[in-house]
Structures are given as C-alpha cells and as structure tokens.
Amino acid sequence: MQLKKIAKICRNEKEIRVLKIMNDRGEIVRSFVGTKYALFAVDDLTDLSKDVMLTIFDVPKTDRNAWTYAEDLRADYEPLEDTWPEKLSAAAVPTGLWIRYKGEEVCEFAVKEVRRLYID
C-alpha cells in the first residue's frame, strides 16, 4: 500500500502503530505501520520513530501532542501468507474480530458499526 494511503488512515484516527518483526538473530525482517484497525507492510522504511513518522505524515508540530504512537517488537512472527487457509480460523466476538492461529488468539481487530474490515 502506498504510504500516502497509510497516512490518510492514520490521520483519521490520529494514531500511528508500528510493529517490527525480528528473526532469531535479532535483525528486523518486517515492519508494519497503521492503526489499531489495520497494519500495512512498510519494509522499505528503516526509521519508524515517532518524530520521523509524524514528519512523513505531514502532521504539524502544533498537532503532534494529540496523536497516539505505539511501537511493538516481536520475535514470534509466522507469516500468514505461508500458512494453509484450513489452519487459520477467524471468530467474531461481541467486541471485535479475532484471528486464531494454532488455537491461540494472535490478533484482535476492533470493529465499529460504521467500519468495514477487509482482509486480503
């Protein structure tokens, strides 16, 4: 997804969430940026710090305090694109949509009435 589209999604929520995936040697192998509703791969960006992301997204310095920024680093990533569909299951719960992998809830998507969630 183009960075400008990701910026628009983040602007709507005034939120930036960054997820970095490490391999077993501690190297960052994948990076994702988005909101609590969706994350998008941005492997070509190396610096995903708060100030850099707010600058890339053209957020004026006077508005930056109103934004939420969260960063997570994980080492237990298994790419879903390499997983057979019958091994995955999604179950709707009253508060949102959960992705379960190997019997473990690995990701929650918050769902609002006015929003639609699309998973490729």
Side-chain angles (χ1 to χ4, degrees):
M1 177 174 269
Q2 291 180 350
L3 198 55
K4 288 187 180 197
K5 290 181 181 180
I6 297 170
K8 183 178 179 183
I9 292 167
C10 291
R11 265 191 231 106
N12 289 340
E13 300 297 325
K14 290 192 176 186
E15 171 183 57
I16 298 172
R17 294 195 183 227
V18 173
L19 173 62
K20 296 177 182 177
I21 308 298
M22 287 188 315
N23 63 16
D24 55 354
R25 294 179 302 238
E27 303 165 329
I28 304 296
V29 293
R30 301 266 353 235
S31 298
F32 299 88
V33 172
T35 68
K36 60 188 162 201
Y37 298 110
L39 292 169
F40 305 95
V42 290
D43 296 324
D44 52 338
L45 292 177
T46 56
D47 188 354
L48 300 172
S49 65
K50 181 178 181 178
D51 288 335
V52 169
M53 294 307 300
L54 290 169
T55 301
I56 290 172
F57 289 177
D58 295 324
V59 178
K61 290 187 178 187
T62 55
D63 296 342
R64 292 182 179 192
N65 287 336
W67 280 63
T68 301
Y69 176 87
E71 187 174 311
D72 191 15
L73 184 64
R74 293 192 177 201
D76 58 352
Y77 171 73
E78 293 185 45
L80 296 179
E81 60 266 20
D82 294 337
T83 304
W84 292 101
E86 59 267 10
K87 293 184 181 176
L88 296 173
S89 66
V93 294
T95 58
L97 176 71
W98 285 86
I99 301 295
R100 290 195 177 123
Y101 179 68
K102 295 182 180 178
E104 182 181 344
E105 294 173 346
V106 294
C107 186
E108 178 186 31
F109 296 93
V111 180
K112 293 183 179 178
E113 251 180 72
V114 296
R115 299 193 183 280
R116 290 183 177 89
L117 175 67
Y118 298 98
I119 301 174
D120 281 340

